[in-house]
Amino acid sequence: MTKNKERKAKTVSPSKAKMKMPHKSTASPKTDTSDLPLQIPPEELAHLLLNSSGEGIYGIDTKGDAIFVNAACARILGFASEDELMGKHMHNLIHHTRPDGSPYPAEECQIYQALREKKGTHVDDEVLFRADGTSFPAEYWSYPMIRDGELVGAVITLIDITDRLQMHEDMIAARKQAESANKAKSAFLANMSHELRTPMNAIIGYSEMLAEDAEDEGLDDMLQDLNKITAAGRHLLSLINDVLDLSKIEAGKMDLHLETFSLIEMLDEVSSTAASLLEKNDNKLVCSVSEDVGEMHADMTKIRQILFNLISNAAKFTKDGTITLQGSRELRNGLEWIRFVVSDTGIGIPDDKIDLIFKEFSQADETTTRDFGGTGLGLALTRRFCEMMGGTISVESEPGVGSRFFVEVPAVVEKKLENLEKEAVIEERSAHTEALDEASAGSAAATFKGKANDFAKTMVLVIDDEADARDLLRRHLESEGYAVVTARDGHEGLAVAASLRPSLITLDAMMPRMDGWATLRQLKANPELKHIPVVMVSIVGDKTMSYALGAVEALQKPVNRKRLDAVVARYAQSPVKTALVVEDDPAARSIVKRYLESANWHVEEAQNGAVAADKASTRSFGLILLDLMMPVMDGFEFLQQLRQGNGPSAKSPVVVVTAKDLSAEDRERLLQSVEHVVSKSGRDIEEVITDVRKSLTTIGVETTSDGNA
Ligand code: ADP
């Protein structure tokens, strides 16, 4: 700033502005500057800097009038030259109005704040006005000029941020667009997962069943063809699943289901499942794991899948060789890690291909696709699974010698993100599918009527909207000796469950009207039904969600029959059946009730025939213990109504427990409509109970006290 403030420069006059320059020639006299390539006098340097800057720069005095202006400033503000701005009150000229159009008084101007408070300001949400009256969004910095402790003015630097804001808006718009595209993709995939997997389940399920029939009947040729259909179906389904899993991971929708499990047991299971893969190329599998490897807390299904993928690759690319599966525990940086190694003596992987194999859709050698099949997705998924659990996967390989894959996962995996969000529920189902289902479903009532008297068998309720899926499960479970009832949606399922009290329910997740998750919630919220074990059977196989809502197990379609059998056998083992005790004497009722409960029955009571008839008209009892002489309605009348009616208990077994002295004729007549008659006249209650027990065994409905049927 000049000493003489009045002498305002007509043009840019940095020399008069006396700006502080970085390389002042007032350097220490001892400093030898002769080796600097070029010495620029400070005034010239100031001039150069001002005029070379792309940013608008102007200086004002304490009144707010321009005392210097650079070329960029005039250009940005739309003035023909810097001269047009010199001496002007800059606030009034270019800064008079706020972005919302309201007047901007100079006293409030942030630039003048720099003057008032002697400190710099930075603003990027205001507008500046050009010579032609138009405005533009600007970012500016103001910096106070102080000489000898006195404030003498301020320097303002400004830029036009129109392009930047536009870019920002474009970016937001692009992000929104990408997000909605991603949502559309997820919805599309959720649809695809249902629409693609459903027919595959039917293909695999029916071909398996036909294969079993063909085997029973010794139709070997047909059996081979059917096995090919099953194998091709399974292959196609696994590809579909891989693609869907990958996109689920990408969409951040893949959950970890963490549990603590024994490594030896898990590795044993993996080796025995993999056994079938080894026969084809005459390989043998050696599993080596130290006894003290202990437990791991991780997503067991994903660990199994990782190892299974590696073993199946090893089996595919090795002939007549050995595949080794190792598991060990290691301590590193104070953290316990589980290290799995899958090695083979197969064809190996060339050096230049080794980095590619963990990428989606890449194979070491395209000819391998021809020779060995595959999609190049297995290792990509395997890698993603490892990473989800905080682990790594790597490989060492030598062509012609073999490969070794190393998987390292923390012994205790921590969940980063619990994502219970369920997959988008498919609401729009094709009219075609609906129509087909309607036609083939048959009503649940019709289905259970014929079966309800299957007392000796454990009853399983299958809830699924797909007729084929219901049919497959029903046929399989029946062949395993279960009594099966079906329902085609949640509403129907709840009604059937309430009246028949099955020992176990298999429940599909995606169904129209009321989906499986809502059904599961309602089942578990109902005190009468919540004890019934529910197995989710869905194409998603979402364990986290299933367990969280109270299912005992989640199986993925197409259902692995052996697993289904194991699960049903395990959870349907103690069928909780309901007995109705019809007796007017509260003490006798309570003793019988206690006995039955100790034998694992759920018990309902009725103090006379009328109350009993009412209860029996709405639900099926596994057993009715009936006194004959009661007020309001006696046992005979109740029996007559029960057997002549069409209610769900019309065929329930009845054991009469009576103090009445029955003639041989009465007894004979009674036995036409009841299973057993126990006399209680002149006997103590222990004896009566022993008799009741015997009669239950005789008619095949007894449940032992440890709960086993
Ligand atoms: P694919 O379904 O094609 O097998 P993967 O992702 O599982 O897909 O494997 C990718 C490629 O890595 C394979 O196509 C093969 O070229 C190579 N590869 C994987 N495992 C082995 C192995 N054990 N030995 C030799 N090559 C392997």
Side-chain angles (χ1 to χ4, degrees), residues 488-613:
R488 52 194 165 155
D489 66 23
H491 289 297
E492 213 170 74
L494 286 169
V496 176
S499 73
L500 292 181
R501 311 291 165 115
S503 300
L504 182 133
I505 297 174
T506 75
L507 180 59
D508 183 25
M510 288 193 215
M511 293 183 290
R513 294 181 284 275
M514 181 191 244
D515 71 14
W517 307 114
T519 313
L520 183 54
R521 266 194 211 100
Q522 292 212 13
L523 281 167
K524 292 299 157 194
N526 183 332
E528 299 269 302
L529 305 178
K530 68 176 183 207
H531 61 273
I532 304 176
V534 177
V535 178
M536 292 302 293
V537 176
S538 71
I539 49 180
V540 191
D542 188 339
K543 285 189 189 291
T544 312
M545 180 85 170
S546 306
Y547 294 153
L549 293 179
V552 292
E553 188 54 89
L555 301 178
Q556 191 166 9
K557 289 179 186 173
V559 176
N560 177 318
R561 284 146 185 262
K562 284 204 181 111
R563 286 215 58 196
L564 175 70
D565 291 349
V567 170
V568 177
R570 179 162 167 213
Y571 290 103
Q573 223 173 35
S574 13
V576 178
K577 295 183 189 170
T578 307
L580 178 62
V581 178
V582 196
E583 162 72 67
D584 60 331
D585 173 14
R589 226 168 42 226
S590 137
I591 291 169
V592 174
K593 179 175 181 215
R594 238 178 309 146
Y595 158 68
L596 285 173
E597 282 176 346
S598 75
N600 227 24
W601 286 84
H602 177 80
V603 177
E604 295 238 346
E605 300 171 65
Q607 65 273 32
N608 60 50
V611 176

Side-chain angles (χ1 to χ4, degrees), residues 309-310 313-314 316-318 344 347-349 357 359 362-365 368 373-380 403 405:
N309 281 355
L310 294 179
N313 274 350
K316 194 156 83 171
F317 298 108
T318 307
D344 64 55
I347 61 171
I349 304 160
I357 59 170
K359 297 211 170 91
S362 43
Q363 295 176 319
D365 178 354
T368 57
T375 50
L377 281 178
L379 285 177
S403 313
F405 285 84

Side-chain angles (χ1 to χ4, degrees), residues 48 320 633 686 705:
L48 267 173
D320 228 349
M633 183 192 282
E686 297 270 311
S705 50

Side-chain angles (χ1 to χ4, degrees), residues 438-486:
E438 289 291 329
S440 55
S443 82
T447 320
F448 74 66
K449 233 173 168 179
K451 304 280 176 187
N453 57 351
D454 236 342
F455 299 111
K457 292 183 184 173
T458 301
M459 185 188 290
V460 177
L461 165 61
V462 172
I463 309 178
D464 200 310
D465 61 316
E466 301 283 341
D468 287 344
R470 280 196 305 272
D471 184 43
L472 277 168
L473 278 175
R474 185 179 53 72
R475 282 160 69 171
H476 175 67
L477 289 169
E478 279 177 359
S479 75
E480 291 298 311
Y482 297 99
V484 180
V485 289
T486 60

Side-chain angles (χ1 to χ4, degrees), residues 320-396:
D320 228 349
T322 305
I323 293 151
T324 316
L325 168 64
Q326 287 166 286
S328 58
R329 178 179 290 266
E330 286 176 11
L331 191 68
R332 235 179 307 135
N333 304 331
L335 251 183
E336 296 214 318
W337 290 77
I338 304 297
R339 180 177 156 101
F340 301 102
V341 186
V342 176
S343 27
D344 64 55
T345 53
I347 61 171
I349 304 160
D351 253 5
D352 58 332
K353 295 290 180 340
I354 220 147
D355 289 338
L356 287 179
I357 59 170
F358 294 109
K359 297 211 170 91
E360 286 83 6
F361 302 106
S362 43
Q363 295 176 319
D365 178 354
E366 262 130 49
T367 55
T368 57
T369 321
R370 210 172 41 236
D371 296 346
F372 301 100
T375 50
L377 281 178
L379 285 177
L381 253 184
T382 305
R383 176 178 61 95
R384 299 289 196 114
F385 282 164
C386 291
E387 288 170 354
M388 277 181 81
M389 287 185 274
T392 55
I393 181 166
S394 56
V395 60
E396 281 172 2

